[in-house]
Amino acid sequence: MGWGLVLALTLIVIAPVIVVAWQAGVSTDIRPEDIAAIRFTVTQAILSALVSVIVALPIARALARRQFWGRNAIITLLGAPFILPVIVAVIALLTIFGQGGILARYLAEIGFNLPSIYGLSGVVLAHVFLNVPLVTRYLLQGWNDIPAEHFRLAASLGFSARDTFRLLELPMLRATLPAAALAVFLICTTSFAVALTMGGGPRATTIELAIFQAFRFDFDLARASQLALFQLLLTGVTALVAFRVLRLASFGGGSGRPLSRPDIPKSGGLVVLDATVVAVAVVFFMAPLLSIVVRGAPHLPDLPSSIWLASLNSLLVALAAALMAVLGALGVVLAAAYGATVAGTTLRILAYLPLALSPLVLGTGLFLAINPYIDPRDVALPVAATVNAAVTLPFAVGILHPVLLRTESQYANLADSVGLTGWSRFRDLYFPASRPALGFSAGLAAALSIGDLSVIALFTGADVTTLPMQVYRLMGAYRMEDAVAASLWLLLLSLFVFWVFDWWGRRDA
Amino acid sequence: MLELQEVSVEHGSFKLRADVRIAPGNVTAFVGESGAGKSTLFGALSGFENLASGQILWSGTDIAPLPPAQRPVSILFQDNNLFPHLTVERNVALGLTTRARPGHETLDRVHEALEQVGLAGFGARKPGALSGGQRSRVSLARALVRSRPIVLLDEPFAALGPALKAEMLDLTATTLARPDTVVLMITHDPQDALRIADQTMIVSDGLVQMPRDTADLFASPPPDLQKYFGK
């Protein structure tokens, strides 16, 4: 089983990279607009990372040291960006900060003109909106990892708030903040959907967007490959650094355990500060989503019929991607669990490799590989499902691996002693133990693919389309009401597929 | 004199009651099943648990309303007594000041305490470079420099081997137990109590019982203690 999986992953993950590199070798001249794309990609990613971390810090601190009604709900919602389609987030932000948005209209009434959101500011805004919740969760985990005794010691030794920060929180932040910033930077270097909708033009084009444009507008495959190679170098180097400092799995989990904090006062200025921070954060992150619910709901019944076919396509892609991601992750983890074989080690490396690859790089490679033989548009949906499964694989492996390791270390001797081996060991031990993780990973893969607007944009023609593509087209046609309603529908569908899988995983747990 | 006057602490459906007096110059052991209320009692004394009713008097003053740092209390936890990123010297100095560069007077007292616990010359090391026994000595040194009259030992030596544990208990008795202090220790091991505790209190079903002479108590244990030790 191990080597078969190695072959499959090599075809999906390594082959596209080789094709890209080989094709890119043909062209050697670098255009100024390519340099501009690289510069913009790095600039926006750095800004997004810095702003996300600065915004997340006070939110995480407030959540870590206060217990209040609704705290658990907020912590659960912090995981939402994982399953929130990027295009939905963009539309939601536009309903507030866009030209016709609520904020612009309000400011216009009191005589201010909101500057255009499109360009660098819009790209960074969207990235901050999508990443702050994840960073907050990551930092919250850092606070939870500080032993409760240390906060008791702080109270008992009479630490001031500054002492606690300097002696307890700063050492933790020194370890977690760079990792969090790096993760956001990595995510933002592969930004496509946000750049497509919020950016564009020579001054706000990311490398991913440039690849897409080289494909769709010029059909210049050599240039697309060359750009893909730049992208590969940028994300590859970043991912290599990130691997060393980042704890991947904690992005998936996130503990809601409230800390007992005897070291800080239960009333006074700090409480007001924390309450304000949490309230502002909730409004900033919930208002855009509420606004698409309010604006979109009345128009749901009037959506063009093309939406329904697109929804069906999206659902199919999501189900296929979920199945592939989970089966792939199980295969990788089980192969790795049976000792440090060569196949197992190779598999683990292959499984984490997609973190260093962007969907468009994979897509470009697969397109080039398929193009000589089949019309890529005919296989748009299977390719989209495959790439989405590959992109989710690192997360699924990251979630499953610790669960199976724990199960193995706790029950291996018992299972061996009663002769539980082979298939029955899987059925009666591994599967029941990992079912919640399987359901969660499948839900993640399904939600991620149903909202995906990257590979699909590269491959689809006018005839085959998915829901995120339809939303983008409605937006491009300035049919904002329809776009908002379709976003709402996409959001509901995305939440639904995630919920179904997650519910399946936790049903008997 | 430490007096717990009709103290009660509530934790959901669990309720702890204590109405006892402990004279200074004594080491007192607390024994009882897990969940009987020993840690809750220590939480109430150190200020991490709020009282539902009652008073905790030290030399006649009610200390129950005070925040943890202002109480005449030092506590040694089971784990995580030291900050791993600070040196031994700083960890001990925290008993006196949170300043990053403690003054000469403070450092003199820190070194004196380290010498008392047998760790002279270890000041520059980090806790990670010490053995379990040495780490316990550092926490002891911090309690020494704080010199608060009520010392709570929440099983800080539980992870040590028998010989090392006995050594640490003796060190505690010789350094921290003074005529004007009370040392209270939670333990699961009668040998610990017999070794250094003058008197022992049984905590059972949320009630702190009257102190008994340790040797007498373990010579003829009452039924609930027999059940606990499986005799």
Side-chain angles (χ1 to χ4, degrees), chain A residues 330 400 403-404 407 426 429-439:
Chain A
L330 257 183
L400 268 176
V403 175
L404 277 178
T407 311
F426 176 77
L429 181 60
Y430 295 142
F431 182 71
S434 57
R435 190 164 147 164
L438 286 175

Side-chain angles (χ1 to χ4, degrees), chain A residues 147-160 163 166-168 171 260 262, chain B residues 48 68-69 75 77 79-86 90 94-95 98-100 142 146:
Chain A
E149 287 94 344
H150 285 182
F151 289 115
R152 288 187 160 204
L153 271 180
S156 158
L157 298 173
F159 283 12
S160 67
D163 294 331
R166 196 162 48 86
L167 294 167
L168 288 186
S260 165
Chain B
F48 301 121
I75 182 163
F77 303 109
D79 306 293
N80 299 315
N81 281 299
L82 306 177
F83 298 108
H85 48 275
L86 299 182
R90 291 273 328 268
L94 280 176
T98 57
R99 282 174 51 193
R142 182 163 64 217
R146 287 197 85 201

Side-chain angles (χ1 to χ4, degrees), chain B residues 90-226:
Chain B
R90 291 273 328 268
N91 264 297
V92 176
L94 280 176
L96 298 168
T97 175
T98 57
R99 282 174 51 193
R101 289 172 204 285
H104 278 297
E105 251 170 71
T106 307
L107 284 180
D108 288 346
R109 285 181 64 188
V110 167
H111 292 145
E112 195 184 320
L114 282 173
E115 204 165 312
Q116 263 181 288
V117 299
L119 286 183
F122 282 72
R125 300 208 192 171
K126 296 259 174 88
L130 301 181
S131 70
Q134 289 170 330
R135 283 199 285 269
S136 300
R137 286 167 190 267
V138 179
S139 350
L140 218 53
R142 182 163 64 217
L144 277 175
V145 299
R146 287 197 85 201
S147 66
R148 304 272 167 124
I150 302 170
V151 178
L152 307 180
L153 307 176
D154 192 353
E155 300 191 78
F157 314 129
L160 304 178
L164 204 51
K165 186 163 75 167
E167 200 185 313
M168 288 309 298
L169 287 170
D170 291 348
L171 186 61
T172 309
T174 52
T175 53
L176 283 170
R178 286 194 298 263
D180 53 346
T181 62
V182 296
V183 175
L184 311 184
M185 60 184 270
I186 290 176
T187 182
H188 283 100
D189 187 349
Q191 296 310 320
D192 294 358
L194 287 166
R195 190 164 193 100
I196 64 164
D198 310 291
Q199 53 179 15
T200 296
M201 294 189 187
I202 299 172
V203 184
S204 172
D205 288 334
L207 181 69
V208 180
Q209 299 179 4
M210 284 296 145
R212 301 266 310 269
D213 179 81
T214 306
D216 288 355
L217 182 76
F218 288 105
S220 54
D224 45 356
L225 201 60
Q226 281 181 23

Side-chain angles (χ1 to χ4, degrees), chain A residues 268-403:
Chain A
L270 273 184
V271 178
V272 176
L273 175 75
D274 287 344
T276 313
V277 165
V278 172
V280 169
V282 167
V283 169
F284 175 71
F285 289 99
M286 289 313 288
L289 295 177
L290 272 180
S291 126
I292 57 165
V293 173
V294 171
R295 263 181 76 179
H299 296 278
L300 271 183
D302 319 326
L303 277 174
S305 59
S306 57
I307 287 289
W308 310 120
L309 186 65
S311 304
L312 186 67
N313 284 337
S314 285
L315 272 176
L316 286 175
V317 170
L319 293 182
L323 207 64
M324 282 191 277
V326 166
L327 288 180
L330 257 183
V332 169
V333 172
L334 285 178
Y338 283 118
T341 59
V342 180
T345 313
T346 317
L347 269 178
R348 280 247 295 288
I349 296 169
L350 281 175
Y352 279 106
L353 211 55
L355 277 185
L357 305 171
S358 73
L360 275 210
V361 170
L362 281 178
T364 306
L366 287 174
F367 189 104
L368 293 170
I370 292 169
N371 198 33
Y373 312 104
I374 330 171
D375 184 351
R377 278 175 299 185
D378 293 343
V379 289
L381 297 184
V383 169
T386 310
V387 171
N388 283 323
V391 171
T392 323
L393 193 62
F395 295 98
V397 170
I399 294 164
L400 268 176
H401 198 221
V403 175

